[in-house]
Amino acid sequence: ESWKPRDVRVHANRISKNDWLNIYHLYSSELIWPRGLPLERIHEPPPGSAREQSIVEVEAPIQQGLINGSPDVDAIWRHIFDHPVTFSDGPSQFLASGTWCPFNSQSTWWWPMAYPLMYLPSYCSFRMTDIWRSFVAQRCLWELDLGIAFHSPEAVQERNQHNLKQDFLDEVPGYENNSFMSDWLEGTQLEGSVGSTGRNLLKCYASLVDKGVFPGQELPLVEAWLQDLNQDGHTLA
């Protein structure tokens, strides 16, 4: 079958959990979880609404396809289970407002309305930068009544060599903070207008600076990112 580009509007099962979701549990029966999922949530089954598969058309300016072979997981899974993975096919899943799930940089589609949310924080470890970006991006999309979509596997990865001990050490800030970040970001007051995405991005990082996740030096970088976007004509910034 020939490859076809995706559209920002997709047909997917809409999930409204208002909590954390392990998206891998919808495509696999084994114990596996995406990098960034709070460890205390790895055994939780998917919600009933995720299994009902009531397919609707939704708008998702960020979408991710799962990866077979060597999917994105944390160092703990690698240390304990490390083996090739094959996810099952199934309907796409749309995570509505309040439903948290980390997503990474692999096989991820971004549409222009979400471009400001592509900002990768600098004052954190390499293993957390794309994960914490995903939390901020989800929070900002919800303010516009939008969300992210996950698709059944569409690529295979052969992972390059990693130092798993170093990966684990780089993920420790996530193990310590991931479960709190949903509360902190949900408690951040954002704007609901279409042109507020950039301001909301800055507010989210300001909140995380206030909580000690990032140092104050992160904010000038967010501001510089938004200035560059505005100069390139991305008015949503």
Side-chain angles (χ1 to χ4, degrees), residues 131-145:
I131 299 302
W132 286 350
R133 169 177 72 174
S134 79
F135 297 159
V136 172
Q138 287 172 79
R139 176 66 184 92
C140 290
L141 287 183
W142 297 340
E143 207 64 27
L144 303 176
D145 197 28

Side-chain angles (χ1 to χ4, degrees), residues 32 102 197 206:
I32 186 171
T197 304

Side-chain angles (χ1 to χ4, degrees), residues 52-106:
E52 292 169 3
Q53 299 180 359
S54 177
I55 307 300
V56 296
E57 185 178 72
V58 294
E59 186 171 12
I62 304 175
Q63 301 175 31
Q64 182 170 92
L66 270 62
I67 299 289
N68 279 336
S70 183
D72 192 68
V73 293
D74 64 23
I76 291 178
W77 193 93
R78 294 277 178 215
H79 274 294
I80 299 173
F81 301 109
D82 198 16
H83 62 79
V85 173
T86 299
F87 291 110
S88 63
D89 291 328
S92 300
Q93 307 290 334
F94 175 80
L95 277 54
S97 178
T99 305
W100 293 95
C101 183
F103 65 88
N104 54 76
S105 300
Q106 301 173 2

